[in-house]
Amino acid sequence: MNAALRPSVHLCIVQPVGYVHAMALLDAALYFRHQFAALGAQVTIAKNRLRTDAPNLVFGAHLGFDPALTRTFCCLFVNLEQLGAGGSRVPPAYLELLRTSHVIDYDRANPDAYAREAETPLIAFGHAPYLAPAAVLPLDQRPFDLLFFGSMNARRKDLIDRIEKAGRTVVVFDGPVYGPERDAFIVQSRAVLNCHHYDSAVFEQVRAFQVLSLGTPLVSERTPRTRPGSAYEHTVNWFDAGSLEAFFTATYAGPDFVRRAEGQLRAFRGVDPREQYAAALDYALAAQGAARSIISAPPNPQRLLHIGSGKDYRPGWLNVDIQESAQPDIVADLSGDLAWPAQYHSPYWGRVQLQAGASDLIFANNVLEHVPDLPRLMRNCLDLLRVGGRMVIEVPYEHSHGAWQDPTHVRAMNERSWLYYTDWFWYLGWFEFRFQVRESKWLDERLAACAKANAAFMSVTLEKVPTTIAERMTARTMRPDFGGLLEPVAAAPGPQTAAPAIAPAEADGVPATALRAI
């Protein structure tokens, strides 16, 4: 298929900064990418980032998602939570988001929990050939007996204790482990143990397909409420809590377990729910087509500008960073010599133009201490803000350990570090506009407000304001060229005419009568 004709789909994984458990969403997202790519789509995948030119399938919106983003981006929400009675206690805002949005789900009982009136496409997870290990260790030679991974609760701990009393050894991680580090343990395990976390007992398909695709048997608890689906009915080793001891002392320990498990793994390699993903892809593209009539006005991402975004990408903002490895919306050095408008291409927003006076808010989180030419950065930020626009800054306090622990810091900052951008603006060659401190507070290491003695950071809010006549007089007085008045003026061609009289305009809130008095 011609690349230009291939539909584009974007997969977005929601991850609050530093929240490691969001990595569990990656398994499902990679499987979606595999299926959609096999159907001919051009698939991109990113953390927290949305695209304006493709339908966005969002994984993990229960962790926090601003519904206002759906007015700018075409979003479909992939629900992987167990909802309803006995299930996960998700925020009410998440259920409302599902009720009012396009949703793709994996369990037919979930849509009742968010009262969907429209039909919700259902998908299943099958064999993932990209997970096949290069070399497979025979099951009877693997060093780990049973492996359990996932969040622990009293219910799961009770079952694991009973299994170990039945003579088996269960390996449990002492912290969150995902991705290749977890998979390295899976391929060394004789089997992976699956125990239901919630009373709803919905079968954990994402865990199951990952384990089976890696060539490791899955041993799973089953209750009368468990609905595994046809793909897993005969490819998983089932036990119930009532006969747990008998299963692990006889069936699991018996001579036929390995032979049966190897047959189950071979059978699972044939599980491919491609038709369900074709329907989901059509659903996403139709949603994008419908969204075009709603998202008609081109967005102005510069209105909310996040500079030095790094690991703290903010959806809905224009995220700018000097390093391409941070995957910002645009790569730019705002401490450079820039002219407005400045043109950029963003993989998420498309064509972006930075214009003077077009930003309402600029956020700079632990950025200023890294910038060699800070006056140039501050001047560019002043230019980009509209009058009344604000710049919110967080920096380490000079007396904290964080001021100099980073080898890339070039300065330490204190409460007087803003003086040249506010009162002494003329030192920097500024004339018509300056900053004014609107708010300043001390923050502790957890970014909570605190007393100065306990400060690890400072938070300062600066507002762009026009200079007053008195401030301009000070600037002209302090500058050797009287604020640009000594620059040569080219002679006008032709006969000279008298300069028009300057009307006594009411500038800077000063009445005309007052100007005449001056």
Side-chain angles (χ1 to χ4, degrees), residues 126-329:
H127 177 62
Y130 56 87
L131 290 175
V136 179
L137 194 64
L139 297 180
D140 55 4
Q141 296 180 24
R142 298 190 179 185
F144 306 126
D145 185 7
L146 279 164
L147 171 67
F148 172 82
F149 59 89
S151 51
M152 187 65 71
N153 64 357
R155 187 180 186 285
R156 284 176 163 174
K157 186 177 185 307
D158 178 65
L159 290 174
I160 290 173
D161 288 344
R162 288 174 59 190
I163 292 169
E164 294 200 311
K165 288 177 181 177
R168 311 316 307 183
T169 301
V170 182
V171 174
V172 179
F173 297 130
D174 57 5
V177 181
Y178 299 99
E181 289 74 21
R182 174 208 55 202
D183 294 349
F185 281 85
I186 292 176
V187 298
Q188 297 183 75
S189 301
R190 188 171 187 259
V192 167
L193 172 67
N194 181 55
C195 306
H196 298 309
H197 187 280
Y198 301 107
D199 292 336
S200 57
V202 175
F203 181 60
E204 293 84 351
Q205 283 193 38
V206 175
R207 177 182 288 113
F209 96 84
Q210 187 82 10
V211 169
L212 296 173
S213 297
L214 286 164
T216 297
L218 185 72
V219 174
S220 179
E221 176 195 11
R222 184 168 190 164
T223 78
R225 302 181 67 179
T226 304
R227 301 179 303 275
S230 59
Y232 298 96
E233 190 69 52
H234 303 293
T235 57
V236 173
N237 297 275
W238 300 102
F239 70 91
D240 63 75
S243 60
L244 178 150
E245 285 77 9
F247 175 85
F248 283 101
T249 56
T251 305
Y252 184 76
D256 293 335
F257 175 80
V258 169
R259 177 184 56 79
R260 184 172 62 256
E262 289 173 343
Q264 291 169 330
L265 292 171
R266 286 193 297 271
F268 187 73
R269 294 188 196 110
V271 176
D272 186 4
R274 182 66 48 82
E275 291 183 1
Q276 295 179 6
Y277 285 84
L281 179 59
D282 289 343
Y283 180 69
L285 297 175
Q288 183 190 23
R292 287 194 180 101
S293 62
I294 302 173
I295 307 171
S296 54
N300 172 25
Q302 184 192 336
R303 189 177 67 83
L304 300 175
L305 191 59
H306 184 198
I307 63 174
S309 54
K311 66 181 185 300
D312 184 23
Y313 184 95
R314 294 191 161 201
W317 293 56
L318 184 65
N319 296 268
V320 183
D321 201 282
I322 195 172
Q323 297 186 16
E324 189 172 0
S325 60
Q327 296 185 12
D329 294 317

Side-chain angles (χ1 to χ4, degrees), residues 452-471:
K452 180 179 177 180
N454 301 320
F457 299 92
M458 292 185 297
S459 174
V460 179
T461 300
L462 305 177
E463 180 181 345
K464 178 178 179 177
V465 296
T467 54
T468 65
I469 288 180
E471 289 168 342

